[in-house]
Amino acid sequence: MKQQVLVFYTKLLGRIRQPLLPHINVYRPVQKLVRLCGEVLANPTENEEIQFLCIVCAKLKQDPYLVNFFLENKSKSHSFQNNFHGAPGSSQQEILNNDTGQPIPPGSEGEPSRNSEPCNGPESSCDLKPSMLSEDSANHLHQDYNLVNSLLNLTKSPDGRIAVKACEGLMLLVSLPEPAAAKCLTQNTCLCKLLTDRLTALYQALPQSIDPLDIETVEKINWGLDSYSVKEDASAFPGKRALISFLSWFDYCDQLIKEAHRMAATAMAIYVRERFLVEVMETQLMQTSEIGILTATALLHRIVRQVTSDALLEQIVYFLLGEQREPETLPDIHRVPLRHRLIEHCNHISDEISIMTLRLFEHLLQKPNEHVLYNLVLRNLEERNYTEYKPPCQEDRDIVENGQIPGAIDLEEDPLFTDMSPENTLSKEWLSASPPITPEHHKIDGKTEVHKIVNSFLCLVPDEAKSSYQVEGTGYDTYLRDAHRQFREYCAICLRWDWPGTVKAIEKCNLEAPFFEGHFLKVLFDRMGRILDQPYDVNLQVTSVLSKLSLFPHPHTHEYLLDPYVNLAPGCRSLFSVIVRVVGDLMVRIQRIPEFIPKLLLVRKRLLGIEPDGPVVDHMTLLEGVIVLEEFCKELAAIAFVKYHSSSTP
């Protein structure tokens, strides 16, 4: 009989065009049926139950205000656990006699709270249009959201199709724009707990032996579509089934939070952070086992890549970096233990851990969350105390009037750039190959002439250490195209962050405060300083993160990372000054390597796949480091050019 009643109501609500749910003689039996759904798992009527619940959810999606009829008022003295069985001391007959299955408060017909005038008796067929409970009444009433409770029960069904349908129903309910429903959803149901408990169980079910490379390369997972057969999978690996289940459920949590009402989304995201990220993942990330660290970091990297909801992303960022926004000091870098540990992992003795952690930060920087860059870099550059202020004298003013820049170094007189030749300088074709107009950015006042900046980077590596000009297809064009595309993407991300168009006026800066570049840049600069002694893959990842930082359209990051002529304060270093030191070391070491250029050219061709692998070349690490250094300087030159062109277009 239950099956027939469910089928009848499903068809009736699905096909009738008149608004039936607001009628008291309709919504009360519907409430009662809702409570009967999901009571027993693997019930023969499960299919009819989920069809009925989904049609009710669809009706609520069409008319969201109707959800208030399903927020059933109940005295706070009755526990939430009894919402299916009535109050203690009530007979089963009393509950059955009450259409809603709830104890009737004095002076109430058990109807939903509303501000409209009551109808003339229980048989009235007038439409009720409830509004959310007032704060006073909410203090005395506990609301049950039995529609959510029934769907939550059905998400545990052994039948995968039923569970997916129940998840879809929850997705509809969390997106309803009614604040009362959103509040009830997170405070009076087990939704948050179910999400995180299952996430935790699936995470802990992952085998410890799972290969981090497999975590990185497994195909994109969408929730509800994780049907997987080992026999049909040519690329199966141990633990793939468990990994797909975990990533699929994480994707569901992410999409649920993305679709949810803002109030519910924030509450669910905070719950995931506190009960899953902090209680489960942090322990794994803070362990000392190298294999454990690598696997945990790979899973975290995968989560960061996959997350799309703003609320969940924000909580992940706060979990990883903390919420601090004041400038860092060296003694203070341990303040957020996980942040400190992850940044230290970028400089780990294990190259695999370093590369994986650098990839994590690289993807984190590409996420649409302003706090990432501010916490890692910007908060330490706000006062521009990396610069030394020298008030311009009359002689400087005369130089400016003649079209030169005060304090700028003439490259022809600089010993680092005495090797400048027509091949090293920017060709007219390269300078004219300007990309299309990008989103408008204000021109930074007093910006050093772009050709001098570009040449500064291009000429950093001297001729005797260059090899790209001898190999076809390794010019600047690719870097220009890539820099322009990436810069447009970063501009689109940063558009809503209301960044200034110009650097903070030097007179308003606190230049007396000691400068610390921050833990993150300190580790990156230290790594960059060892580029000639590090493995090729590590160097590629370090330079990739630094180029991503250089692309951000903030005037302070631009000045600090891309302006070779910035007047650095004593004891301060910039990206350019770090590279200058590396080049100085390189020029000394080159003298000790016989046939340096032929070996360098051979290594470059092998890296490009032009030459087959052969006998090991002496000083391979150094030679690969020189090639990465040359390419990185070209990339920085292209970024500087693209950013200047963008800021100077009207």
Side-chain angles (χ1 to χ4, degrees), residues 73-77 134-143:
N73 297 341
K74 178 179 177 182
S75 299
K76 268 195 171 180
S77 58
S134 67
E135 282 298 315
D136 289 337
S137 62
N139 290 333
H140 301 289
L141 293 172
H142 173 90
Q143 289 185 309

Side-chain angles (χ1 to χ4, degrees), residues 457 479 528 531 539 542-548 550 575 579 626-639:
F457 282 111
Y479 286 109
M528 190 67 206
I531 193 170
N539 286 337
V542 170
T543 54
S544 180
V545 174
L546 283 167
S547 68
K548 295 292 187 297
S550 303
L575 179 56
I579 298 175
V626 174
I627 291 166
V628 173
L629 182 63
E630 182 186 352
E631 296 304 309
F632 183 49
C633 288
K634 290 186 335 194
E635 186 177 11
L636 291 176
I639 292 170

Side-chain angles (χ1 to χ4, degrees), residues 68 91 187 244 292 316 359 365 469 546 590 592 602 646:
N68 292 278
S91 70
Q187 293 184 0
I244 287 176
I316 290 174
R359 280 183 190 157
L365 285 164
Y469 63 92
L546 283 167
I590 280 178
R592 305 172 191 159
L602 176 62
S646 167

Side-chain angles (χ1 to χ4, degrees), residues 445-466:
D445 295 333
K447 185 184 282 187
T448 310
E449 294 174 28
V450 67
H451 74 276
K452 289 198 173 187
I453 292 178
V454 170
N455 275 329
S456 296
F457 282 111
L458 290 178
C459 302
L460 263 176
V461 179
D463 268 1
E464 50 265 42
K466 285 183 178 178

Side-chain angles (χ1 to χ4, degrees), residues 368-553:
N369 187 288
E370 183 266 351
H371 187 69
V372 177
L373 185 70
Y374 196 89
N375 180 279
L376 290 173
V377 177
L378 277 180
R379 58 174 168 161
N380 304 307
L381 308 181
E382 281 291 310
E383 294 300 325
R384 297 179 65 203
N385 44 350
Y386 48 84
T387 62
E388 187 175 35
Y389 179 53
K390 292 180 180 177
C393 60
Q394 184 58 43
E395 185 181 345
D396 286 336
R397 291 193 186 95
D398 296 338
I399 293 173
V400 171
E401 288 173 7
N402 293 329
Q404 296 180 6
I405 298 157
I409 303 166
D410 189 341
L411 296 184
E412 294 177 3
E413 297 174 5
D414 190 338
L416 275 172
F417 304 113
T418 51
D419 63 327
M420 280 182 67
S421 62
E423 289 77 18
N424 290 344
T425 56
L426 281 171
S427 66
K428 290 180 181 177
E429 291 79 11
W430 191 78
L431 275 170
S432 62
S434 55
I437 294 173
T438 57
E440 184 178 352
H441 283 265
H442 299 294
K443 182 175 180 178
I444 297 176
D445 295 333
K447 185 184 282 187
T448 310
E449 294 174 28
V450 67
H451 74 276
K452 289 198 173 187
I453 292 178
V454 170
N455 275 329
S456 296
F457 282 111
L458 290 178
C459 302
L460 263 176
V461 179
D463 268 1
E464 50 265 42
K466 285 183 178 178
S467 56
S468 61
Y469 63 92
Q470 299 188 47
V471 179
E472 191 177 346
T474 57
Y476 307 115
D477 295 349
T478 304
Y479 286 109
L480 273 173
R481 284 192 292 269
D482 287 347
H484 180 255
R485 175 183 53 79
Q486 292 174 353
F487 185 58
R488 294 190 88 164
E489 290 171 0
Y490 275 74
C491 286
I493 291 172
C494 305
L495 207 56
R496 56 179 176 168
W497 295 345
D498 197 27
W499 278 348
T502 58
V503 291
K504 186 176 179 181
I506 201 79
E507 298 81 10
K508 297 180 181 177
C509 295
N510 180 17
L511 300 181
E512 300 303 317
F515 176 68
F516 175 50
E517 64 246 31
H519 193 194
F520 186 59
L521 278 182
K522 178 183 182 301
V523 168
L524 288 178
F525 284 174
D526 290 347
R527 274 290 198 186
M528 190 67 206
R530 301 197 300 271
I531 193 170
L532 302 178
D533 303 298
Q534 292 173 159
Y536 180 69
D537 291 336
V538 173
N539 286 337
L540 284 181
Q541 200 56 57
V542 170
T543 54
S544 180
V545 174
L546 283 167
S547 68
K548 295 292 187 297
L549 288 172
S550 303
L551 279 161
F552 278 101

Side-chain angles (χ1 to χ4, degrees), residues 263-316:
M263 187 191 305
T266 303
M268 287 189 284
I270 290 173
Y271 206 92
V272 169
R273 172 189 172 185
E274 291 175 351
R275 299 300 175 88
F276 172 64
L277 296 175
V278 173
E279 292 185 8
V280 180
M281 285 204 78
E282 185 167 353
T283 311
Q284 298 297 311
L285 292 164
M286 297 289 280
Q287 64 182 303
T288 53
S289 160
E290 288 191 4
I291 295 173
I293 292 170
L294 192 57
T295 305
T297 308
L299 283 165
L300 178 61
H301 179 216
R302 185 65 197 236
I303 285 173
V304 167
R305 280 168 52 196
Q306 194 166 314
V307 67
T308 58
S309 68
D310 290 341
L312 186 54
L313 173 62
E314 183 179 70
Q315 294 304 318
I316 290 174

